[in-house]
Structures are given as C-alpha cells and as structure tokens.
Amino acid sequence: KIRRVALRVTTNIDLLIKDFFHNPPSYKVVTTLSWKAATSIGHDQAAAAASAMVIVNTVVIVKGLGLSQRDVALTMAAFGAGSITAALTLPRILDRVADRTVMLIAAALLTLTLAAMALVTVTMGTADSYWYMLIAGWIVMGLAYSASVTPSGRLLRRSANADDRPALFAAQFALSHVCWLIAYPLVGQLGARVSMTAAFGGMAALAAVGAVA
C-alpha cells in the first residue's frame, strides 16, 4: 500500500505542483498508472539492516578489540570484497534464476548472518579469534547485500511501462532510504546503549521482518 501511494505521488508530482500553483488552483489532475505487481520492498529493509550494522558499528567493534585503523580498513574491505564478488557472479546466476528469488534468498541470508553474528558475539566477543569471525561474517553479508539490491533495477523495469518507470524508481529510492533512516540510528543506539549483541539481534529482527514482508 505504501509503495502504491508513493508511486501515485511521484508519478504525478509535476502535474500536482502545476495544478496547485495555477491561479486559481484548478485541482483537476487525473492520475493513471500502469502498475504490475512485482515484489515487496522487504529486501530493502533487510539490506538496510545489514549495511547499517557494517557502516555504523565496524569501527566501534574493531577498535573495541584493541585493533588498529588498518584492521578497521581490512574489516570494511571484507564487506566490499563480498559485494564485488556477488556483483561479478550475479549476471550468470540471473540467467538461470529469477531476480526475485535471488533477492529473497539474499534477504534471508542477511537475516541468518546477523543472527549468527549475534550468537558469536555473545559467546566469544572478547576472544582473539572473534575478529576473524567478524571478517567472515562481513564477507557473507557483503555477498548477500549485493545479491539483494543488484537485481532490483531489472525487476523494477519489468514492473511498469516506460512512462511510469521514473516514478517507480523514485518511489523505490525514497522507500529504501526510509529503511536506512530507521536502521542507522537504531543500530547505533543499540550498540551504544545496550550491547553489540543487541545491535546484531535487533538488525536480525529488522531484516527478518523485511525478508518475510
């Protein structure tokens, strides 16, 4: 429902503005859409949860282990390496598997990885080997993150005709940023005020809601 409302607004925003500022206002805009159901925006929520955990808390986690700025960079590079690997392999995968299937599997993998990292953090958060587990988790989340967002452009193109595509992309862009607006401050507050286990767990729950939406 939110997606449909956003699409209506963004598709006709220019006409609405012209109508409103017409002297006198005409209020005569008639909106028409060519909408074909495509998919949920749940993968955006799962992707936002994972990327928020990585971007907001990587420095905090790594520095909290007493490691250096170089180690922070290596940890972030692990997420990037996973993303690049997925982006390079996805074209072949998408020739055989439907876009939506890939995105949903990736969203589920993000959820499971966040939950697994919550368990790892509570059991071995201060161990010397925790950093290596963190890097492994970041690589997996990078793979899943890229797989969850990369096919979205192809999916959106098939969801509306050429006239409605700009509005559809704008609506998806806006709604994905709403997900980030929720995830970023939430994961930061959980990590700072509760614990990193809570941050991982909270983002896993957020991603799970998106994966099943």
Side-chain angles (χ1 to χ4, degrees):
K1 183 177 180 181
I2 295 174
R3 183 178 58 191
R4 294 193 185 98
V5 171
L7 180 60
R8 291 191 185 100
V9 172
T10 54
T11 300
N12 299 282
I13 191 67
D14 56 334
L15 296 177
L16 291 169
I17 291 174
K18 290 177 183 177
D19 252 14
F20 183 77
F21 287 102
H22 186 273
N23 190 15
S26 59
Y27 306 115
K28 294 180 180 178
V29 168
V30 177
T31 62
T32 57
L33 296 174
S34 63
W35 177 262
K36 296 185 292 182
T39 184
S40 164
I41 63 164
H43 69 278
D44 285 326
Q45 185 168 316
S51 63
M53 187 67 206
V54 172
I55 294 172
V56 174
N57 284 331
T58 295
V59 175
V60 180
I61 296 172
V62 176
K63 296 297 285 185
L65 295 171
L67 300 176
S68 65
Q69 292 287 359
R70 175 178 175 273
D71 297 321
V72 172
L74 288 173
T75 309
M76 293 296 293
F79 182 81
S83 297
I84 292 171
T85 301
L88 292 174
T89 56
L90 273 173
R92 294 180 182 179
I93 295 174
L94 293 174
D95 286 339
R96 302 177 182 179
V97 184
D99 297 346
R100 186 171 185 271
T101 300
V102 171
M103 294 164 70
L104 292 176
I105 292 173
L109 182 57
L110 286 171
T111 302
L112 293 174
T113 306
L114 286 165
M117 288 305 302
L119 181 61
V120 168
T121 302
V122 75
T123 56
M124 54 180 298
T126 59
D128 294 338
S129 59
Y130 176 70
W131 182 52
Y132 299 104
M133 297 297 295
L134 184 69
I135 287 178
W138 263 217
I139 291 173
V140 174
M141 284 206 290
L143 286 164
Y145 176 82
S146 185
S148 70
V149 300
T150 300
S152 61
R154 289 165 35 123
L155 193 63
L156 291 173
R157 283 179 62 84
R158 292 199 297 269
S159 300
N161 65 26
D163 292 337
D164 286 337
R165 280 175 195 151
L168 181 57
F169 274 92
Q172 194 274 339
F173 179 84
L175 291 171
S176 66
H177 280 67
V178 169
C179 294
W180 282 322
L181 182 63
I182 295 170
Y184 276 56
L186 177 60
V187 74
Q189 290 299 311
L190 285 173
R193 297 179 181 273
V194 187
S195 67
M196 283 302 159
T197 301
F200 275 116
M203 292 304 99
L206 191 64
V209 172
V212 301

